[in-house]
Amino acid sequence: MMAVLRIFSYLPNPRIWKATIAARLVGVEVEVRGAKSAELAQWLWDFEARPLSEAERVERGDLARVGRVGFRGTSILKTEAFLDAHPFGTVPAAFGPDGDVGIFESNSIMRAVARLGGPQSTLYGRDPYEASRIDSFLDAGLVFARDGQHYLLALRGQAVSAETHARARDAFQIYLAGIERALAPAREAIVGDTLTLADICFATELALFANERIQQDVLAREGLAQAWDGAVEAAHPRAFAHFSRLRRHPAFAPDMAAYLDKLEQRSAPAPA
C-alpha cells in the first residue's frame, strides 16, 4: 500500500500518533521519518529528510536556520522547499505524496488522515454538526496542549516556575472536566457513539503529558507537586477510565502501550 502522507518529526512524539492511530482506524498508509530529538538537528529538513554527514552540513551551510521552541538556538538545515511547504518551519511536518503540499500542526495532520480515509470513515463525524463538535474538542485541547508543552519543556530544562506549573495544572484540570462531562453518564466515546478524532487527540495529549511523571526530582526541587496525581484521577474517573481503555485499543496500543509502560517504570519508586 502506498503511503498517502509522509510525516517528518522527532521521535518518539505522541502528537504524531494522532495521525498513525487515525490511519489504522481508516485503513490508510502513513510513512514516518525522523530520529530522536537530539539527533534531528543533524538532519536535512526536507520532504526527502535524511541525516547529514558533517561534511554535508558544512557544504550546505547556506540552508542553516536557527531553531525555535524545542530546538531553540540550534542551527538546523532547512531547504527552501521545506519552508515553502511549512512556513513556520516546525515539526511535525507532513507532506502529500509528491512533497509539494505541506500540512502542519498535529491536529491538522490527523484531520488530513481522516479525510483520506474516504466517505466511509466516521472519525471526523457523520455530518457537519458532528464534525464541528469534534472540532470544538480539538480546539479546547489546543489550550491544554500549549500550556502543557511550555511546562514539559521547562521540566526538561531542569527548571520550572510556579507560574508555568500553575498554568499547566489549571489547563489540565479544565480540559479533563470537559472530557469528564462529555463522557457522562457512561458513554464510550467523547462525540457520538463511536471513536472519533476527539478521542484520539485526548489520548495522545495525555500520553505526552505523562512525561511529567519522570520529572519528579525537578518538581520536588522547586517545591511543586505533580499536576497529574491521584487526586486529579479520582476527580475525573470517566476521563481516566476512557484513557485506560484507549491505551489498550488495537489501533492505539502499537504507539502508546510500550511508551506509557516505560514512563511508568521509570517513575516507579525504587524497591526498598
Side-chain angles (χ1 to χ4, degrees):
M1 185 186 299
M2 178 181 176
V4 297
L5 208 66
R6 177 181 293 174
I7 302 172
F8 171 53
S9 177
Y10 59 87
L11 303 174
N13 179 359
R15 287 191 174 136
I16 67 168
W17 300 346
K18 296 175 184 179
T20 54
I21 291 167
R24 292 186 195 101
L25 289 168
V26 299
V28 301
E29 184 74 18
V30 169
E31 178 190 355
V32 176
R33 291 190 180 190
K36 293 180 179 179
S37 181
E39 299 171 11
L40 211 60
Q42 309 305 315
W43 281 53
L44 178 68
W45 290 31
D46 186 56
F47 175 63
E48 297 292 352
R50 61 184 178 85
L52 296 174
S53 67
E54 186 57 36
E56 288 176 309
R57 285 185 58 77
V58 172
E59 181 183 348
R60 308 196 67 169
D62 59 310
L63 301 179
R65 305 291 196 283
V66 177
R68 295 175 292 176
V69 193
F71 295 91
R72 186 180 299 276
T74 304
S75 179
I76 299 172
L77 301 186
K78 302 177 183 181
T79 66
E80 288 298 318
F82 177 86
L83 291 171
D84 285 342
H86 295 276
F88 298 99
T90 57
V91 289
F95 298 87
D98 57 8
D100 292 336
V101 177
I103 305 163
F104 39 94
E105 299 301 329
S106 59
N107 283 355
S108 293
I109 298 170
M110 175 178 64
R111 288 184 181 101
V113 173
R115 293 183 178 113
L116 289 164
Q120 71 276 10
S121 168
T122 58
L123 274 187
Y124 204 178
R126 294 182 175 87
D127 57 48
Y129 298 102
E130 198 166 79
S132 296
R133 182 168 172 81
I134 291 166
D135 281 334
S136 299
F137 280 98
L138 300 186
D139 289 347
L142 289 175
V143 178
F144 162 52
R146 181 168 179 79
D147 287 333
Q149 181 181 39
H150 285 307
Y151 176 53
L152 293 174
L153 286 173
L155 286 172
R156 194 173 73 180
Q158 299 295 300
V160 61
S161 69
E163 180 183 4
T164 298
H165 172 270
R167 286 177 64 90
R169 179 200 62 211
D170 292 349
F172 186 41
Q173 293 183 4
I174 290 167
Y175 181 58
L176 288 172
I179 300 298
E180 185 74 11
R181 178 69 184 186
L183 291 168
R187 302 183 63 190
E188 294 292 317
I190 294 171
V191 176
D193 55 8
T194 60
L195 293 180
T196 69
L197 301 184
D199 302 282
I200 297 173
C201 181
F202 163 71
T204 52
E205 291 294 352
L206 258 65
L208 180 59
F209 198 72
N211 279 275
E212 181 199 44
R213 297 176 179 176
I214 60 173
Q215 300 292 351
Q216 294 176 47
D217 290 347
V218 179
L219 289 168
R221 189 169 63 242
E222 301 295 335
L224 301 170
Q226 285 185 246
W228 184 338
D229 60 9
V232 80
E233 291 189 4
H236 306 93
R238 298 184 190 93
F240 284 101
H242 192 44
F243 180 66
S244 294
R245 287 193 299 271
L246 292 176
R247 68 184 285 182
R248 296 190 299 268
H249 187 286
F252 291 68
D255 291 318
M256 292 178 59
Y259 182 87
L260 290 169
D261 287 347
K262 184 176 180 180
L263 288 180
E264 288 164 2
Q265 290 165 8
R266 289 179 62 186
S267 63

